[in-house]
Amino acid sequence: MKAGIRDFILAGGFVMTVLAAVCGCTADDAPRLSRAEKDIIDADGIMRVLTVVDREDSLVLRSECTDFPLKTLRSERFGRLAGRMIATVTDSTQDGVGIAGPQVGLKRRVVAVQRFDKAGEPFEVYPNIRVEYLSDEKQTGPEGCLSIPEIYGEVERSQTVVISYVDINTLDTVRDTVSGFTAVIFQHETDHLDGILFTDRM
Ligand SMILES: [Zn+2]
């Protein structure tokens, strides 16, 4: 092979590797679900919500989460998880506006968020989610957390965010711009996926 072509290929490979490292979203290299994760998802009823009161739970709540493999997002099991997360956050014992993977014992990038900015204010589930943009314009408001009983406080958040996540029907990465209170919920919930709790920001 001519040196010039080979160098180009090598350079291209290097660029691809760097891009993969930067966005962390290329190949489907996310770890497959463990037996323990499958058992959590496959169980019946409302999911147990982890709290900082419990030491073991705290370790999960402080964990960095990983994506779901794309194959899992197409599975019935992911649909089941989405339904159970919504059932859990909307249960009268919780009555929340959002919930994140670690709060139900899964160190995975998934959140359920109530879209107050949409007609009917539906709960929607976002896998492999990331915040791609945070506006400089801020808003301050009261927050609480299902995982931190009886603590409330004022937190400063961006007015507008751009999120990216994987559409489970197309498996494309899609983006959405969200403002106002719903943007606050997205920031609170995606913080959970990086092991950050709202009390860290008070
Ligand atoms: Zn929370």
Side-chain angles (χ1 to χ4, degrees), residues 118-189:
K118 290 188 177 181
E121 302 183 348
F123 274 86
E124 295 181 351
V125 174
Y126 299 87
N128 298 4
I129 185 171
R130 284 176 175 73
V131 174
E132 302 213 332
Y133 165 80
L134 293 159
S135 68
D136 290 335
E137 190 188 348
K138 309 287 186 192
Q139 55 188 330
T140 300
E143 290 186 31
C145 181
L146 301 181
S147 295
I148 310 177
E150 291 165 28
I151 304 282
Y152 300 89
E154 295 283 319
V155 182
E156 187 182 70
R157 301 282 191 182
S158 289
Q159 174 69 25
T160 300
V161 297
V162 176
I163 55 163
S164 70
Y165 60 95
V166 174
D167 180 308
I168 61 166
N169 296 311
T170 62
L171 297 186
D172 289 333
T173 297
V174 291
R175 288 176 179 76
D176 196 359
T177 301
V178 184
S179 294
F181 182 54
T182 307
V184 172
I185 304 172
F186 272 110
Q187 288 167 82
H188 177 118
E189 301 309 332

Side-chain angles (χ1 to χ4, degrees), residues 33 37-38 40-43 45-47 68 72-91 98-101 104 106 108-114 122-128 165-169:
L33 292 181
E37 288 177 309
K38 289 176 183 172
I40 287 172
I41 296 168
D42 292 350
I46 301 305
M47 304 181 86
F68 287 89
T72 299
L73 297 183
R74 295 204 91 135
S75 70
E76 263 181 47
R77 186 171 268 125
F78 185 80
R80 180 181 180 83
L81 171 63
R84 291 188 70 223
M85 285 181 74
I86 291 174
T88 302
V89 69
T90 57
D91 187 70
I99 196 165
V104 293
L106 299 169
R108 297 281 179 169
R109 299 195 72 88
V110 60
V111 301
V113 168
Q114 187 166 14
F123 274 86
E124 295 181 351
V125 174
Y126 299 87
N128 298 4
Y165 60 95
V166 174
D167 180 308
I168 61 166
N169 296 311

